[in-house]
Amino acid sequence: MSPQQSTPTRLHIVTGKGGTGKTTVAAALALALAAEGRRTLLIEVEGRQGIAQVFETGALPYEERKIAVAPGGGEVRALAIDPELALLDYLDMFYKLGRAGRALKKLGAIDFATTVAPGLRDVLLTGKACEAVRRKDNAGWRAYDAVVMDAPPTGRITRFLNVNDEVAGLARIGPIYNQAQAVMRVLKSTETAVHLVTLLEEMPVQETVDGVAELRAAGLPVGAVVVNMLRPVLLDDADLESAANGRRTAVAKALSQAGLGGARKGGQAERLVDPLLAQAHEHAQRVLLERRERAEIATLGLPTYELELRGEGVDLGGLYRLADSLRKQGMTGGES
Amino acid sequence: MGTSAGGTDMSLENPGDLESPVLAIDPLLDDPKTRIIVCCGSGGVGKTTTAAALGVRAAERGRKCVVLTIDPARRLAQSMGLSELDNTPRPVTDIDESAGGTLHAMMLDMKRTFDEVVLQHADPERARAILDNPFYQSLSAGFAGTQEYMAMEKLGQLRALDAWNLIIVDTPPSRSALDFLDAPQRLGSFLDGKFIKLLMAPAKVGGRAGMKFLNVGMSMMTGVLSKVMGAHLLGDVQTFIAAMDTMFGGFRKRADATYKLLQAPGTAFLVVAAPERDALREAAYFVERLAAERMPLAGLVLNRVHGSGAPQLTAERALAAAQALEEPRENLVDGGIVDREAGKADSVADGTDDGTDPKTPAEAADDMTIPPEQRLAAGLLRLHAERMRVVARERRTRDRFVSVHPEVPMVDVAALPGDVHDLDGLRSIGERLAGDHPAAA
C-alpha cells in the first residue's frame, strides 16, 4: 500500500489546515503506534498545549513524560517543546555553554532568537524532533521507535520543515551549518513521512492538494492523507433521487402512518414534509460535494485513511477508538 | 466604536435560551465613525470569508471600503477578482456602487511590505545594503511572526493613505491567537534590548560607561556567538542590525502608533468562531485578551450554525417514527400506532443516543417488504434526528460561551452547504451576517 513497508516510518509529521483536527489525529496515531509495541514520543511545537487537552491532563512541561498507555502495554510519551528552553538545551549540548547560555539570556539574545527571529524558532523545533529520532542510549539502542509531531498548519509546513535548508544557506559553514544539514538529512529521509489531515470540504482539500505539491517540490517525503470528521451518509442515492423528485403526498402519508399527525394539507405530518425535504436537499448537495472532494484526494495517489466524526468532540475514549481505527486501516504499517 | 456604540442592539432573541445581546452588523457598517474592523479568530472558522462578505456588504451600503486579506484561499480571492498575490489594493468590479460605495481588496505580500518599510526609512545606500543582506532576505520572506508585524504595518499604511473610510482586516492564522497584538511591543522591547547593542558592534559598546558587565563579558560573548553562529552568519547578522539601526526609531514609532490605532474609537474587533468546542474556547481567549489590552470588541460572529425548519419534531420522536416505518411486520394503519408505539420506540432511541442505531438505512433497504415511500420517509426522519442532535450540540457549546461572556453581542450565521466562490455567495453571507436570514436553514 505504501513505500513505508520497506523502511518503517520513524518520524511522523502531522499537518493540516486549521480546524481539521490535526492534534487529535497526531495523538491517535501516536497511540496506534504504541499499541504496536513501539516506544513512541508525541511532540507539540506550537505552544498551544493541545496535546494536554486531547489527553485530558494538565499542561505539559518541557520534559518527555508518559502521557498514555496503549492497549497491549506500549506507552506514549509526550513533549511540549518550549523554544527558549530548547535553545539553552541546544547550546548546552553542542557547546557546553551553561554559564554563557545564561548570560546570553540576560542579554535578550534568547528572546531575539526565539521570537524576533522566528526562523530560528523553527530551527530549534525541527532540531529537537530530529534529535529525539536519532537519540540512542548507552547500549546503542534507539530511545524511540517512532516520533509523532503535531506540526504547524499546511500553509506553513513546507517552510517550517525547510528552514534548515535556508539556515544552511545562510551559515554556509560551521556548526550551525552542520547541524542544519543533519536535520535536513533526517527530514528528507525515507524514515520520515509528512501526513496531511483534511476534511471533505473544498478549502481543506484544496489546501491539502497545494500542500502536497509544495512538499513534493521541496523534496520532502509525503506520507498519507487522513480524512477526518467524516459525517455519516444517512440517505442513499435512490432515496436522494426520490427526495429530489419531491413526492410530497406519499411522504406525508408515510409520516402520518408513523404517527406524526395528519397527512392532509395543514396537518402536522404534512407540515413536516417541506422542511424534511429541504434538509434532504442539503444533505444531497453535501454528499455530492464530498464525493467530488474524495475524487480530488484520490488524484494525489497517496494512502488515504478515514476517521468518523465524533459528535461531541473527541474525549479520551474516543481517542482510543480513533487510534484503533487507524491501526485497523493499516496506517501504522503493522499487521492489521 | 466598541461595545457601547451603534453596532449593538440590546434586544434579545430566542427567549428561553441563554441570551446574548444581538450583534447588529448593518449599524456597525453604516456608522461613519467605524473606520477599522479587525476580524480575528482561530484557523478554519471562516474568518477570511467573513471579512470579504463584510467588505462587499459595506461597499454596497455606501462605504468606501478596502479589505486586507492575509493568505486567502485561492477561490475566495478569485471570487473578489483577485487572481494573484499583490500588495496593492485593487478595485473589485461588479460591486453595486449605486449607494456611492466602492470596494478594494488586497492580499498582504510580506516581503514587499517589509521592503517598502526599509526603502521608506533608510537612505538609498543603506537600503540597498539591507535588501541585499542574506539574513534580511530570509527574515522578510515570511518566517512565522513576520506576517504579524507586516499585517499591522500595512494596516497603518492603509490608514495613513486615507483613501478609504472603512478598512476591514483579516488577521493572520497565528500560532498563538493574538500574536499580532504582541508584535509592536515585542519589536519595541527587542529594539531597546542590550543584545542589539551587543551585536551592533563590540567597539561601540566599549565606549559606553557604566556597562561593566558588558565590557567584561564582551570578548567571551562575541567569541561564543561566533562559535555558535559561525563567523559568516554572525557577520551577516551584524551588518543587518547595523544597517537597520537608523530606521529602528521610525519602526518603533510606527509600531506604537498602530497599537494605539487599534485601541482608538473607530476600531471594532469582531471575533469569529464556529459552534465547536475548540473554536469557542479560542474565541473566549480572544475576548478576554482584547479586554485586557483595552481593545474595542464589537462582538462575536458565530459561523456555520445549523438550524432546522421543523424544530418541533425532536430527535427522539423522529427516530422512533423512523423505526416504526422500518418494521414491516407491524401492520401500520393510518394513525394506529401513535402513542404506544412512539413511546416504546422512544426508550429504545434514548439508549442508543451515541449514534449507533440498531438499524442502518442500508440494512433497512435490504428489507424489500418496506414500501419505498416509507423507506424514504424513514430516511428523512433519521436525517432530521441527526440534524436535531447537531442543533442541540451546537446550542450547548454556544450556551457555555454565553454563560461565561453574557455581555458579548453575538450573531449567528447559518451554515451553507458548500464554500463561497463568487460575489453572490459573499452577498448571501453578508445577508446572514446582518440577520436577514434566519439561522434555521
Side-chain angles (χ1 to χ4, degrees):
Chain A
M1 182 158 190
S2 74
Q4 292 165 20
Q5 263 144 14
S6 43
T7 346
T9 303
R10 297 195 48 243
L11 176 57
H12 297 266
I13 296 169
V14 181
T15 181
K17 183 173 163 32
T20 59
K22 69 185 168 58
T23 302
T24 305
V25 172
L29 178 58
L31 266 181
L33 290 161
E36 308 253 318
R38 300 186 210 181
R39 275 163 311 195
T40 305
L41 177 68
L42 177 59
I43 291 182
E44 162 151 43
V45 298
E46 292 197 279
R48 285 185 297 124
Q49 290 292 341
I51 292 178
Q53 277 167 23
V54 169
F55 283 98
E56 298 173 8
T57 66
L60 294 174
Y62 178 55
E63 179 186 293
E64 290 161 35
R65 62 160 58 170
K66 183 165 96 179
I67 194 163
V69 177
E75 62 178 46
V76 177
R77 289 171 158 247
L79 169 69
I81 303 182
D82 176 322
E84 251 187 49
L85 295 174
L87 178 57
L88 290 174
D89 223 27
Y90 170 96
L91 292 175
D92 206 44
M93 186 174 359
F94 288 93
Y95 307 105
K96 314 274 177 263
L97 286 185
R99 209 180 125 238
R102 281 195 299 278
L104 280 176
K105 190 179 167 83
K106 235 179 175 163
L107 282 172
I110 307 289
D111 269 353
F112 169 76
T114 54
T115 60
V116 180
L120 295 183
R121 179 167 65 195
D122 294 353
V123 171
L124 293 164
L125 297 172
T126 49
K128 184 70 194 170
C130 290
E131 183 270 322
V133 171
R134 286 181 301 173
R135 194 189 309 155
K136 291 184 178 169
D137 64 17
N138 293 335
W141 294 97
R142 293 189 187 284
Y144 293 105
D145 299 312
V147 175
V148 180
M149 180 198 276
D150 175 17
T154 319
R156 232 160 51 71
I157 189 68
T158 303
R159 193 161 191 102
F160 173 76
L161 295 176
N162 251 351
V163 66
N164 284 284
D165 251 358
E166 194 131 356
V167 166
L170 281 176
R172 288 171 294 206
I173 193 165
I176 288 195
Y177 173 84
N178 295 337
Q179 159 74 3
Q181 292 287 70
V183 170
M184 280 324 288
R185 270 198 301 279
V186 173
L187 292 179
K188 290 191 171 175
S189 75
T190 51
E191 288 188 335
T192 297
V194 184
H195 308 300
L196 298 99
V197 183
T198 186
L199 310 178
L200 280 188
E201 291 170 13
E202 279 173 74
M203 280 204 242
V205 168
Q206 186 59 48
E207 219 171 271
T208 301
V209 171
D210 293 347
V212 167
E214 277 178 34
L215 288 164
R216 283 177 172 158
L220 289 160
V222 182
V225 174
V226 180
V227 177
N228 196 19
M229 300 188 221
L230 205 60
R231 286 173 292 190
V233 173
L234 291 166
L235 286 180
D236 63 21
D237 283 2
D239 288 334
L240 290 173
E241 187 120 328
S242 0
N245 289 336
R247 295 157 63 190
R248 305 188 69 262
T249 325
V251 172
K253 212 166 147 228
L255 290 174
S256 179
Q257 278 181 338
L260 294 172
R264 286 184 321 279
K265 190 151 180 54
Q268 274 186 33
E270 196 271 343
R271 274 185 288 138
L272 286 172
V273 175
D274 276 338
L276 293 193
L277 285 176
Q279 282 172 190
H281 180 66
E282 276 177 39
H283 184 79
Q285 274 182 286
R286 206 196 77 202
V287 169
L288 219 69
L289 185 101
E290 289 185 351
R291 208 169 288 162
R292 230 176 24 233
E293 298 308 324
R294 207 182 242 121
E296 181 83 24
I297 292 171
T299 62
L300 293 170
L302 294 169
T304 302
Y305 308 99
E306 299 193 339
L307 294 173
E308 273 174 28
L309 175 70
R310 306 203 60 87
E312 296 292 330
V314 176
D315 61 6
L316 201 52
L319 190 65
Y320 277 82
R321 261 168 290 180
L322 293 181
D324 194 45
S325 172
L326 285 179
R327 216 178 141 207
K328 285 200 178 113
Q329 292 178 62
M331 189 174 182
T332 50
E335 56 280 273
S336 48
Chain B
M1 169 79 5
T3 33
S4 60
T8 65
D9 170 357
M10 296 306 288
S11 71
L12 302 167
E13 65 171 359
N14 297 331
D17 294 310
L18 275 176
E19 292 144 358
S20 304
V22 175
L23 170 64
I25 289 292
D26 282 345
L28 178 70
L29 295 180
D30 293 346
D31 186 344
K33 291 200 288 291
T34 309
R35 300 299 299 276
I36 296 175
I37 295 176
V38 184
C39 298
C40 49
S42 56
V45 295
K47 207 167 31 188
T48 310
T49 308
T50 301
L54 287 171
V56 171
R57 191 166 182 88
E60 298 195 330
R61 294 177 72 86
R63 300 298 299 268
K64 294 198 186 314
C65 177
V66 61
V67 176
L68 166 58
T69 69
I70 290 139
D71 201 16
R74 199 187 308 151
R75 285 177 198 170
L76 179 65
Q78 282 166 358
S79 73
M80 291 192 294
L82 300 170
S83 55
E84 55 194 277
L85 196 70
D86 188 316
N87 212 26
T88 323
R90 301 287 174 196
V92 177
T93 50
D94 297 328
I95 287 284
D96 175 6
E97 296 183 349
S98 56
T102 56
L103 180 63
H104 284 72
M106 63 164 291
M107 289 186 248
L108 180 73
D109 179 331
M110 276 175 295
K111 178 151 177 53
R112 284 176 58 177
T113 305
F114 211 145
D115 289 355
E116 284 166 18
V117 174
V118 170
L119 286 167
Q120 197 180 340
H121 288 278
D123 59 75
E125 193 191 334
R126 211 178 274 271
R128 190 43 47 209
I130 294 172
L131 296 182
D132 289 343
N133 184 289
F135 184 76
Y136 168 79
Q137 285 170 0
S138 247
L139 185 72
S140 62
F143 284 127
T146 322
Q147 222 174 21
E148 284 79 9
Y149 298 131
M150 290 309 133
M152 288 302 106
E153 171 64 30
K154 199 74 207 178
L155 173 61
Q157 284 178 11
L158 290 177
R159 188 71 171 79
L161 274 177
D162 211 25
W164 298 275
N165 56 33
L166 179 62
I167 304 172
I168 298 177
V169 197
D170 165 34
T171 52
S174 285
R175 174 187 55 90
S176 81
L178 286 178
D179 270 3
F180 69 94
L181 284 182
D182 295 330
Q185 281 180 340
R186 218 161 60 186
L187 192 63
S189 75
F190 162 63
L191 297 178
D192 286 345
K194 295 176 197 146
F195 186 58
I196 282 281
K197 290 167 186 128
L198 167 66
L199 277 178
M200 289 234 308
K204 223 169 149 183
V205 181
R208 297 174 91 100
M211 297 192 72
K212 266 212 158 90
F213 167 75
L214 271 184
N215 286 325
V216 173
M218 189 47 55
S219 59
M220 178 181 84
M221 273 315 140
T222 32
V224 163
L225 284 174
S226 166
K227 191 172 160 197
V228 172
M229 299 172 87
H232 273 296
L233 182 55
L234 181 62
D236 283 343
V237 172
Q238 279 176 329
T239 321
F240 169 70
I241 302 281
M244 294 282 278
D245 184 34
T246 45
M247 48 181 291
F248 277 154
F251 223 157
R252 167 123 209 230
K253 232 164 75 197
R254 284 172 88 88
D256 285 346
T258 307
Y259 189 82
K260 289 215 178 71
L261 185 63
L262 291 176
Q263 285 181 325
T267 299
F269 280 84
L270 286 178
V271 176
V272 184
E276 288 146 22
R277 198 180 49 176
D278 292 352
L280 272 171
R281 181 164 41 209
E282 280 286 290
Y285 171 76
F286 273 105
V287 166
E288 287 154 20
R289 184 69 203 282
L290 287 169
E293 305 271 346
R294 289 181 295 118
M295 297 284 173
L297 172 70
L300 180 84
V301 172
L302 198 58
N303 274 334
R304 301 189 195 139
V305 177
H306 289 87
S308 171
Q312 71 274 22
L313 179 59
T314 63
E316 291 75 17
R317 218 159 150 244
L319 270 186
Q323 274 171 347
L325 283 170
E326 285 162 351
E327 275 168 32
R329 59 186 188 286
E330 296 277 351
N331 207 354
L332 293 175
V333 184
D334 278 24
I337 53 152
V338 188
D339 287 320
R340 195 178 51 81
E341 271 305 313
K344 185 178 129 203
D346 247 342
S347 58
V348 175
D350 283 345
T352 57
D353 222 18
D354 58 354
T356 51
D357 301 318
K359 208 170 196 180
T360 69
E363 283 161 359
D366 289 340
D367 207 334
M368 293 314 289
T369 59
I370 301 171
E373 49 288 343
Q374 282 191 24
R375 228 163 49 84
L376 171 58
L380 291 176
L381 287 166
R382 286 187 183 281
L383 199 56
H384 178 70
E386 175 61 25
R387 172 62 69 92
M388 291 307 284
R389 281 178 182 157
V390 171
V391 170
R393 187 169 67 232
E394 290 180 353
R395 169 59 62 180
R396 277 199 300 279
T397 317
R398 181 190 196 278
D399 283 353
R400 208 174 308 158
F401 176 87
V402 174
S403 314
V404 182
H405 296 288
E407 77 290 354
V408 176
M410 226 164 150
V411 62
D412 290 353
V413 180
L416 290 170
D419 282 349
V420 172
H421 304 122
D422 51 24
L423 282 179
D424 279 340
L426 291 175
R427 281 189 189 106
S428 135
I429 301 254
E431 282 163 17
R432 286 162 196 245
L433 275 165
D436 291 359
H437 265 260

